[in-house]
């Protein structure tokens, strides 16, 4: 039996074997000789199995895009691009960790998978036993640019938020001792909590903004962006001289002194200036 498919149905073809005899004449004698005949006969019995409908994979792609894209709250439709971070941008913070004060911006990055938003949870990784908070002013780039002059740099900012550069301090220390990058120490999932952003016109001078963070109601860090070693305009100009900046890129501008450990069940609140925006997250 052989099956074939036609117009959405399967049909059965049958093969018949017929045994017959034919006379065999050989050198004047006559005998009967068996013969086999194959007969292929279609019986056309429909099994009524419908064809599978063709799938439009464009729908899958659109769904995946929506799942993967993280839009910046308060600055929609901007989507998160590269996350640039600046280390040791406050003198007192550099000193509290016994680090040298840099002579040019110290740049590292975080993956977009590290981002969470207000009301979400920092997940402590099993690979580290010393996780710290670092509160920071975060600037969101609204238009792309390369080699941006410092005097025009702030015009590329679309808005500001407050963020926490969560750091696995023990992993970072080992990396520093070996001269390795900080990517692992800074890049775990949930290690970049972000507030809702406010538009850039709400802040006249980003170099005169208060930052603070409290853990379980106790204030841990407090500082003013005027204490930055490298102001935001300088950072934008410096970064754009190396990387092309794109809309949605973020700049974590560095943290003031007072970084300290967090633990499971902590409740954290970070505040930008006089309640311009707030960020509340929990720890588990």
């Amino acid at each position: 039996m052989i099956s074939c498919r036609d117009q959405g149905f399967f049909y059965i073809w049958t093969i018949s074997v017929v045994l017959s005899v034919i006379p065999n004449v050989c050198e004047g004698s006559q005998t009967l000789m068996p013969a086999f005949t194959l007969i292929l006969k279609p019986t056309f019995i429909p099994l009524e199995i419908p064809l599978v409908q063709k799938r439009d994979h464009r729908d899958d792609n659109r769904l995946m895009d929506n799942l993967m894209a993280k839009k910046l709250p308060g600055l929609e439709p901007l989507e998160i691009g590269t996350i640039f971070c600046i280390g040791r941008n406050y003198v007192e913070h550099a000193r509290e960790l016994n680090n040298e004060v840099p002579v040019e911006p110290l740049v590292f990055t975080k993956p977009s998978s590290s981002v969470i938003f207000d009301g979400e949870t920092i997940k402590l990784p099993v690979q580290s036993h010393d996780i710290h908070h670092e509160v920071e002013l975060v600037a969101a780039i609204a238009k792309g640019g390369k080699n941006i002059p410092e005097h025009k740099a702030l015009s590329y900012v679309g808005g500001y938020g407050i963020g926490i550069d969560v750091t696995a301090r023990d992993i970072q220390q080992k990396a520093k001792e070996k001269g390795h990058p900080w990517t692992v120490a800074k890049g775990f999932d949930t290690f970049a909590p972000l507030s809702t952003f406010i538009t850039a016109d709400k802040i006249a001078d980003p170099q005169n903004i208060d930052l603070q963070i409290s853990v379980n109601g106790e204030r841990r860090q407090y500082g003013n962006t005027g204490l930055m070693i490298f102001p935001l305009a300088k950072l934008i100009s410096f970064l754009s001289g190396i990387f092309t900046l794109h809309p949605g890129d973020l700049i974590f501008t560095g943290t003031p002194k007072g970084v300290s450990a967090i633990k499971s069940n902590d409740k954290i609140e970070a505040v930008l200036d006089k309640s311009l925006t707030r960020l509340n997250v929990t720890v588990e």
Side-chain angles (χ1 to χ4, degrees):
M1 183 176 65
I2 302 173
S3 65
C4 70
R5 188 173 184 171
D6 182 33
Q7 300 298 323
F9 297 93
F10 284 95
Y11 294 90
I12 304 300
W13 294 65
T14 58
I15 300 174
S16 300
V17 180
V18 179
L19 175 63
S20 59
V21 293
I22 60 175
N24 179 31
V25 179
C26 181
E27 296 182 355
S29 65
Q30 182 172 337
T31 61
L32 295 180
M33 178 179 174
F36 296 91
T37 304
L38 298 181
I39 301 175
L40 182 63
K41 179 182 179 182
T43 56
F44 297 99
I45 303 173
L47 297 181
E48 299 186 0
I49 302 175
L51 288 169
V52 176
Q53 294 296 319
K54 185 178 180 181
R55 186 180 184 89
D56 187 350
H57 292 287
R58 291 176 297 179
D59 292 337
D60 291 341
N61 293 336
R62 282 191 291 267
L63 176 60
M64 186 58 66
D65 289 341
N66 289 336
L67 290 174
M68 295 300 291
K70 289 187 176 181
K71 291 182 168 55
L72 288 174
L75 295 180
E76 296 89 350
L78 282 183
E79 296 177 359
I80 294 174
T82 302
I83 304 173
F84 299 103
C85 304
I86 308 300
R88 306 175 191 171
N89 200 24
Y90 290 75
V91 172
E92 293 301 318
H93 170 60
R95 289 175 176 168
E96 74 179 341
L97 296 180
N98 299 314
N99 292 317
E100 295 180 358
V101 176
V103 296
E104 67 176 20
L106 195 166
V107 181
F108 60 94
T109 62
K110 287 177 178 275
S112 60
S113 58
S114 65
V115 171
I116 59 172
F117 297 114
D118 185 60
E120 297 189 308
T121 300
I122 297 170
K123 303 294 182 66
L124 301 179
V126 297
Q127 295 92 333
S128 174
H129 303 287
D130 189 20
I131 311 294
H132 284 202
H133 60 73
E134 299 185 6
V135 66
E136 309 196 9
L137 172 71
V138 182
I141 299 299
K143 60 181 181 179
K146 177 73 174 175
N147 297 317
I148 301 169
E150 195 169 328
H151 69 278
K152 294 183 178 180
L154 295 183
S155 68
Y156 287 75
V157 177
Y160 300 96
I162 195 161
I164 304 172
D165 172 16
V166 183
T167 303
R169 193 70 70 199
D170 48 356
I171 296 176
Q172 184 191 35
Q173 183 58 38
K174 291 177 182 178
K176 286 162 57 178
E177 291 170 356
K178 296 178 180 179
H180 292 175
W182 303 349
T183 307
V184 174
K186 298 284 191 175
F188 284 99
D189 289 353
T190 75
F191 267 30
L194 288 170
S195 71
T196 296
F197 281 72
I198 58 173
T199 54
D201 62 311
K202 299 291 196 306
I203 293 181
D205 181 7
Q207 298 310 138
N208 187 25
I209 298 295
D210 291 333
L211 309 171
Q212 63 176 308
I213 191 170
S214 299
V215 179
N216 302 324
E218 175 191 0
R219 191 166 76 178
R220 298 276 187 89
Q221 287 183 270
Y222 178 82
N224 186 281
T225 57
L227 298 175
M228 286 183 185
I229 300 170
F230 307 105
L232 178 58
K234 173 70 174 178
L235 295 176
I236 293 172
S237 181
F238 178 82
L239 289 170
S240 70
I242 305 168
F243 316 99
T244 298
L245 299 183
H246 297 279
D249 287 350
L250 301 176
I251 303 173
F252 278 68
T253 57
T255 192
K257 67 178 181 179
V259 300
S260 59
I262 57 176
K263 62 184 186 303
S264 184
N265 297 319
D266 280 347
K267 293 179 173 56
I268 302 175
E269 181 178 54
V271 182
L272 183 66
D273 211 52
K274 300 174 178 62
S275 298
L276 286 175
T277 188
R278 291 175 177 266
L279 169 64
N280 285 276
V281 292
T282 55
V283 183
E284 70 176 32

